[in-house]
Amino acid sequence: MSVSAQMIAEVQPLIPALRRYARAMLRNRDDADDLVQDVLERALANWQARRKSASLRSWLFAILHNLALDRLRRRARRGIDATLDSVPEAWLARAAEQEDGLGRQDVLTHLARLPDDQRAVLLLVGVEDLSYAEAAAVLDVPMGTVMSRLSRARERLRREMEEGLRANPTLRVIR
């Protein structure tokens, strides 16, 4: 029996299991069939180099698994492969994020203008999610002081943010 006939006789009963695993990995019937074809080509090319003591089934599944991971990584890098007309518009459009970044920068700018004691309380309670009692312990002040500083900090930050929104910068025309 020739090498290819021997290989076909040993591999053919494993093809349905290879296809099932490939479909489960790639979740696409055509891609899975292509993958199994690649596995069989690779197995045929390396048939003489395989270890005779190793299980043929585990060897083929190892080849399939590694090729599937390569394809999944490649697909993740490249993104989807589709025509422009077949892709939903929501996939093509992306909300502008510039204003969000500017808003965050404004908050940080106004936060930096707060007095140190108010900024510390606002960060501990508002950002780090400490309770009033925990913030009082950190700052070594009474809990009532934490509450009043927090109230003043929130009010001042709100007021400055509103004033910043109302103040529209004017553009100068330079000739």
Side-chain angles (χ1 to χ4, degrees):
M1 184 180 278
S2 71
V3 173
S4 60
Q6 176 192 1
M7 182 202 150
I8 291 171
E10 291 182 38
V11 171
Q12 194 168 15
L14 300 174
I15 292 175
L18 291 170
R19 289 182 77 204
R20 273 192 308 274
Y21 186 60
R23 284 185 187 168
M25 288 287 288
L26 299 181
R27 296 186 177 155
N28 181 298
R29 182 182 190 146
D30 294 333
D31 290 346
D33 289 342
D34 290 343
L35 177 62
V36 171
Q37 179 69 32
D38 291 347
V39 168
L40 296 176
E41 288 176 10
R42 189 165 288 189
L44 181 61
N46 296 307
W47 186 256
Q48 297 299 332
R50 75 179 177 92
R51 288 182 291 214
K52 305 291 188 236
S53 61
S55 162
L56 175 63
R57 181 180 176 93
S58 62
W59 182 62
L60 290 173
F61 273 90
I63 294 171
L64 188 142
H65 182 78
N66 290 331
L67 288 176
L69 289 180
D70 287 345
R71 287 186 185 197
L72 290 171
R73 287 184 195 118
R74 193 175 320 123
R75 186 187 296 169
R77 279 193 313 269
R78 289 186 180 163
I80 61 167
D81 192 24
T83 62
L84 190 58
D85 295 334
S86 68
V87 176
E89 189 175 329
W91 290 6
L92 301 175
R94 193 170 184 187
E97 298 172 1
Q98 295 89 341
E99 287 186 32
D100 295 338
L102 292 173
R104 282 190 295 274
Q105 188 59 43
D106 285 346
V107 170
L108 292 174
T109 300
H110 292 300
L111 187 63
R113 291 182 188 160
L114 291 176
D116 291 340
D117 57 345
Q118 290 179 7
R119 184 174 52 246
V121 169
L122 189 62
L123 290 172
L124 289 173
V125 174
V127 177
E128 299 302 329
D129 205 26
L130 268 62
S131 69
Y132 293 161
E134 291 170 326
V138 168
L139 298 173
D140 195 28
V141 296
M143 193 164 62
T145 303
V146 167
M147 292 168 29
S148 65
R149 285 180 185 174
L150 182 61
S151 176
R152 286 193 307 270
R154 285 178 175 161
E155 177 59 27
R156 184 170 179 174
L157 186 61
R158 184 192 56 76
R159 192 175 52 243
E160 286 195 17
M161 293 294 293
E162 285 177 355
E163 289 172 6
L165 290 175
R166 276 188 248 130
N168 293 327
T170 57
L171 296 176
R172 287 188 319 187
V173 177
I174 302 174
R175 295 179 190 215

